[in-house]
Amino acid sequence: MLAKITQSKTLHWLGRQLSNSEDPRAFFDPLTAAMNPMWVQQYTPARVERITAETADTKTFELRPANRWGGFKAGQHLNIRIDIQGVRRTRTFSLSSSPALWESRGLITLTIKRLPGGLVTNWLHDDLKVGDVIGLTEAFGDFLIPVEKKPVLFIAGGSGITPILSQLETMALGNYPEPVTLLYYVRTPNDVIGKEKLAALAARHPDFSLDVITTHESSTPRYLNDHDLDSIPNLAAREIYLCGPKGLMDLATEKLRQRDIKAEQLHSTFFAPPAPAQISSSDIGGEVTFSASNLSVDSIGDANLLEMAEAAGLTPQHGCRMGICHQCTCTKTSGTVVNRLTGQVSGPGSESVQLCISIPQGPVALDI
Ligand code: FES
């Protein structure tokens, strides 16, 4: 962390720390959680009802959130909050069930793949048990099925199928009137997630066509190719949804653009941040003023606005810390910031910025 609070503002910072400690939810939650973890108020608690193995490295967790949770649309994500050895961890996952399950039975599912070396996914697979309670944020994201009914092509890779499972089920329940095709790329047949659900949808709905393509069954990998796309009827008229590893998404995007698919027809989502842009350290850093809190912080190096706000004792809303969930978006009232992911430099005036991926370039003022 390369931010320090200016000496003249230290008293304001101390005042903020004291007022944070007086947040009644922060004070009472540890006490109420000890009595009943479903009573906490700072996030929505959800009890684990069932855990099902999908593949050797993927499980579906059926959860019952507290009634106050706000629901979701098919294709959206949420952040889970768990404590591992006393440290709060937050991660983003997509909902794999349809909103109808939440509306009718108060249940949702998250389908989660174990990542090699992944702290949270390994903990979820090895330590989370039926009856345990985890925290949830509200759902977010704009990877949504079209409002206007059009033919649809889904292209999924590996665990990128999870939001698409929710979308397919929702479309089937609503008798979606247009053709829907899924190209699903997996390493081997054993890696298909949601196998039974997909087979049942394909059997019940003649307008749903499913093509599972294995990429690693021979010594030469078999990735998405021209034939896969050219065999899709009426490709040019389709809304196209991509979710999977970056390599698949980049390849699909390039091939679709070669076929004159417009940017507005393409919808994509991912959970791994793109590689950061190269930003010269001489171009960044500056004083950041948090106007509503009457605080200023000096930064050097590549500290982002979220890190600087937290160093000042503020607790802005945030989720993924990767530029994906947009929960940290707030208003910059003046000054210039650099986008950590794209290297793009903002304008000098008032605009929305994502705190977790914005680095000040000279003095910046924020409305928090
Ligand atoms: S915390 Fe998710 S985009 Fe910033």
Side-chain angles (χ1 to χ4, degrees), residues 252-264:
T253 302
E254 184 190 327
K255 287 187 178 296
L256 289 165
R257 292 213 170 122
Q258 287 166 1
R259 285 160 177 77
D260 292 331
I261 299 295
K262 299 187 195 75
E264 312 88 80

Side-chain angles (χ1 to χ4, degrees), residues 79 92 140 306 317-329 354-357:
N79 293 332
T92 303
F140 57 87
L306 179 59
Q317 185 172 354
H318 66 277
C320 64
R321 307 183 82 103
M322 297 190 291
I324 296 172
C325 73
H326 289 260
Q327 288 195 65
C328 64
T329 300
Q354 288 167 267
L355 295 177
C356 70
I357 54 168

Side-chain angles (χ1 to χ4, degrees), residues 64-343:
R64 185 179 297 282
N67 287 338
R68 67 174 186 267
W69 192 65
F72 69 105
K73 293 180 179 158
Q76 287 194 305
H77 332 295
L78 52 67
N79 293 332
I80 67 163
R81 294 177 182 178
I82 55 174
D83 291 327
I84 301 177
Q85 296 177 340
V87 179
R88 171 66 48 86
R89 307 284 177 179
T90 303
R91 291 291 186 280
T92 303
F93 295 105
S94 53
L95 292 121
S96 54
S97 52
S98 76
L101 183 67
W102 161 248
E103 286 153 15
S104 62
R105 296 177 51 205
L107 294 170
I108 61 171
T109 65
L110 303 178
T111 300
I112 297 173
K113 182 173 179 172
R114 184 195 289 272
L115 299 177
L119 178 74
V120 170
T121 59
N122 279 290
W123 185 89
L124 292 169
H125 273 246
D126 296 334
D127 295 303
L128 189 64
K129 303 285 183 288
V130 169
D132 289 350
V133 172
I134 65 172
L136 306 180
T137 63
E138 294 300 318
F140 57 87
D142 52 9
F143 190 62
L144 305 176
I145 45 186
V147 177
E148 190 185 337
K149 303 291 188 278
K150 293 180 177 173
V152 171
L153 169 63
F154 291 107
I155 301 177
S159 58
I161 191 70
T162 53
I164 293 172
L165 288 174
S166 173
Q167 292 169 314
L168 287 171
E169 198 167 353
T170 302
M171 294 165 98
L173 287 169
N175 292 318
Y176 195 79
E178 296 287 342
V180 176
T181 301
L182 168 63
L183 299 180
Y184 183 20
Y185 295 83
V186 289
R187 290 179 70 84
T188 73
N190 291 336
D191 296 311
V192 176
I193 296 169
K195 192 180 291 182
E196 287 168 16
K197 194 184 263 191
L198 290 171
L201 286 170
R204 277 204 314 268
H205 298 278
D207 276 346
F208 172 49
S209 127
L210 165 65
D211 196 356
V212 175
I213 298 153
T214 52
T215 56
H216 285 76
E217 280 206 286
S218 69
S219 54
T220 311
R222 188 277 194 222
Y223 298 118
L224 178 143
N225 61 33
D226 292 325
H227 176 263
D228 295 344
L229 295 177
D230 292 336
S231 59
I232 305 291
N234 206 8
L235 178 68
R238 297 201 182 221
E239 291 294 305
I240 301 173
Y241 293 76
L242 310 173
C243 189
K246 186 172 183 311
L248 171 65
M249 295 183 46
D250 287 349
L251 182 61
T253 302
E254 184 190 327
K255 287 187 178 296
L256 289 165
R257 292 213 170 122
Q258 287 166 1
R259 285 160 177 77
D260 292 331
I261 299 295
K262 299 187 195 75
E264 312 88 80
Q265 288 172 262
L266 280 180
H267 313 268
S268 60
T269 192
F270 55 88
F271 296 121
Q278 293 295 324
I279 300 172
S280 163
S281 58
S282 60
D283 291 343
I284 52 180
E287 184 183 57
V288 176
T289 302
F290 302 99
S291 310
S293 310
N294 198 23
L295 279 169
S296 292
V297 173
D298 280 332
S299 87
I300 50 176
D302 63 354
N304 63 52
L305 296 176
L306 179 59
E307 292 168 330
M308 295 171 73
E310 289 173 337
L314 302 177
T315 53
Q317 185 172 354
H318 66 277
C320 64
R321 307 183 82 103
M322 297 190 291
I324 296 172
C325 73
H326 289 260
Q327 288 195 65
C328 64
T329 300
C330 74
T331 302
K332 166 178 75 64
T333 50
S334 67
T336 301
V337 296
V338 185
N339 183 311
R340 186 79 187 88
L341 300 181
T342 63

Side-chain angles (χ1 to χ4, degrees), residues 339-352:
N339 183 311
R340 186 79 187 88
L341 300 181
T342 63
Q344 197 171 356
V345 179
S346 76
S350 176
E351 63 185 325
S352 293

